[in-house]
Amino acid sequence: MTNNDKPPLFDHRLRERFFSQRVLVLDGVLDDDNGTVLATQLLSLASEDPRKDVALWIHSPGGSVPAMLAIRDVMRLVPCDVATLALGLACSAGQFLLSAGTPGKRFALPHARVLMHQGSAGISGSAVEVEVQADDLRHTRDTVLGIIAADTGQPVERIFTDSLHDRWFTAEQAREYGFIDHIVTDLAQVVPVRTHEVGLRPTAGSHA
């Protein structure tokens, strides 16, 4: 069997096992396909038990902006808390989803790294098409940066400036900036076995 023929180590059966434990995993690039899967799985788990936490574990270099916005919309829509965890890498869309977790329940492993940047997109076509695309990109950028500001507690002006170029954060720096609330020191912090009263989410200063 060649390297190309090897089955993925994180296969469907393993994903199903995590799903049964209310853990969703974003491993690798976020695209429209796995983004839709994550959003619908989150809706399914919330419908199954709206009082029990769902965990989203992240190890991702980033990816689709529409997919990450859709997942965040669902995270805010469902009544259950969504705890997020940066496993090793949370870049761009990964950072966005990490900081979008329920306040007080956003975690990172001690050596995880977080990257924030605005990203880029190619624009081509006629002058009119370019102008339309540019307007849409500005709207999307402003939407994303505004959400990051709201989720981190940072002024949107600082988010804009800091995201102009790649900015890397250690786990401790990510905590200080507001991407996460806690650095994991105990397994119990990230195992989603607790429940909460519907509509009573913890404040940003509460403990998970």
Side-chain angles (χ1 to χ4, degrees):
M1 177 180 289
T2 66
N3 288 337
N4 291 333
D5 295 328
K6 288 182 179 179
L9 296 180
F10 195 50
D11 61 12
H12 178 71
R13 184 165 56 180
L14 186 55
R15 291 179 191 277
E16 285 297 315
R17 180 178 177 183
F18 276 108
F19 180 76
S20 69
Q21 298 173 354
R22 300 180 70 83
V23 176
L24 307 179
V25 181
L26 170 59
D27 62 314
V29 175
L30 175 68
D31 57 34
D32 293 334
D33 289 334
N34 61 11
T36 300
V37 170
L38 288 171
T40 54
Q41 285 181 324
L42 181 52
L43 286 167
S44 176
L45 290 173
S47 176
E48 178 183 287
D49 189 341
R51 291 167 52 94
K52 187 178 292 186
D53 291 6
V54 175
L56 174 60
W57 294 355
I58 300 165
H59 182 75
S60 173
S64 168
V65 172
M68 78 179 191
L69 287 170
I71 294 170
R72 187 191 184 276
D73 284 345
V74 173
M75 291 168 72
R76 288 297 180 269
L77 179 66
V78 297
C80 52
D81 287 352
V82 181
T84 54
L85 169 66
L87 294 172
L89 194 65
C91 300
S92 303
Q95 168 269 301
F96 182 87
L97 294 176
L98 174 66
S99 59
T102 299
K105 297 186 177 182
R106 304 172 302 174
F107 298 86
L109 293 179
H111 293 99
R113 299 294 299 276
V114 176
L115 171 68
M116 178 175 67
H117 72 167
Q118 290 187 21
S120 61
I123 299 179
S124 61
S126 67
V128 173
E129 290 171 335
V130 167
E131 183 177 356
V132 170
Q133 292 178 64
D135 285 343
D136 182 64
L137 286 174
R138 279 191 291 268
H139 171 75
T140 301
R141 177 202 64 191
D142 292 346
T143 298
V144 169
L145 296 183
I147 291 172
I148 295 174
D151 289 344
T152 60
Q154 297 287 353
V156 68
E157 295 81 9
R158 182 177 182 184
I159 297 294
F160 179 85
T161 300
D162 290 346
S163 65
L164 287 174
H165 304 285
D166 287 0
R167 180 165 181 181
W168 287 94
F169 297 80
T170 64
E172 179 58 32
Q173 289 168 339
R175 188 191 64 79
E176 293 173 355
Y177 201 84
F179 293 129
I180 63 171
D181 306 296
H182 309 286
I183 298 172
V184 177
T185 58
D186 189 281
L187 179 63
Q189 291 177 291
V190 293
V191 176
V193 296
R194 293 153 294 172
T195 61
H196 71 284
E197 294 297 330
V198 175
L200 297 179
R201 294 177 182 268
T203 61
S206 65
H207 295 287

